[in-house]
Amino acid sequence: MIPGPPSTKFLLAFVALAAAVCLLGCSGRNDTSSARVSFVTKYAPIEFTFPAGWYENSEEHPYDLQCFSPFHRMNTGVFAFKKVDVATDSTPIDILWQQIDDLRSKRKHFEEFETIQKHEHGDKTVTSITYLGDKGVTKLL
C-alpha cells in the first residue's frame, strides 16, 4: 500500500506505471530502428539500401527507382544507364551533368547543397552531388 493522501497515492502509482512503460519500451525487444530496407532499380540490377520506413513509389514516375522516407520528408530518384544505351563519347560524369541540368530546368531556387563526392565500391565509382530546389510549393533535396 502506498502511504499518503489519495492524490499522492495516485501520483506515485502513475509515476511507477510511467516508469514501467518506459523501461519496457527501452528493453530492445522488437527494436526496428536499425532495420534497413533495400530496393533494386528496374532497368539494371542496382541495389540501394535505405533506413527503416522508406518505401518504393508504386505509382508511375520517370525514374528507374524512386523511394520516399516516412511522411515524404525526403525522397530519392535514380536513373540507371547502361553503357550500350549512351553515345560512345559520353562519360558517366557527362550524363550526371545532363541530369542535373534537366532537374535545374524544372526547379526554382536550384542550388548546390553538398559538393560532388566520389565513393569507391570495388571496381565501381559512385559519384553524387546534392542540390536543393523548389518544385511548386515543395522544397526538394
Side-chain angles (χ1 to χ4, degrees), residues 54 73-77 93 96-97 99-101 103-104 107 109-119 126-134 139-141:
W54 280 66
R73 294 195 62 182
M74 292 183 281
N75 76 67
T76 189
I93 199 74
L96 176 63
W97 290 121
Q99 292 298 309
I100 291 168
D101 289 341
L103 288 170
R104 179 180 284 116
R107 308 288 188 271
H109 308 108
F110 195 78
E111 60 190 57
E112 188 176 298
F113 182 71
E114 292 179 343
T115 60
I116 197 163
Q117 297 177 30
K118 294 186 179 204
H119 306 278
V126 175
T127 304
S128 66
I129 187 166
T130 306
Y131 285 88
L132 289 172
D134 296 337
K139 186 152 200 83
L140 302 171
L141 176 65

Side-chain angles (χ1 to χ4, degrees), residues 17-57:
L17 178 63
V21 169
C22 287
L23 290 173
L24 287 174
C26 296
S27 68
R29 290 182 306 167
N30 300 325
D31 180 17
T32 59
S33 62
S34 62
R36 302 236 181 242
V37 291
S38 295
F39 304 102
V40 177
T41 56
K42 293 175 187 163
Y43 184 59
I46 305 168
E47 183 176 351
F48 291 86
T49 303
F50 297 90
W54 280 66
Y55 61 95
E56 187 173 355
N57 182 2

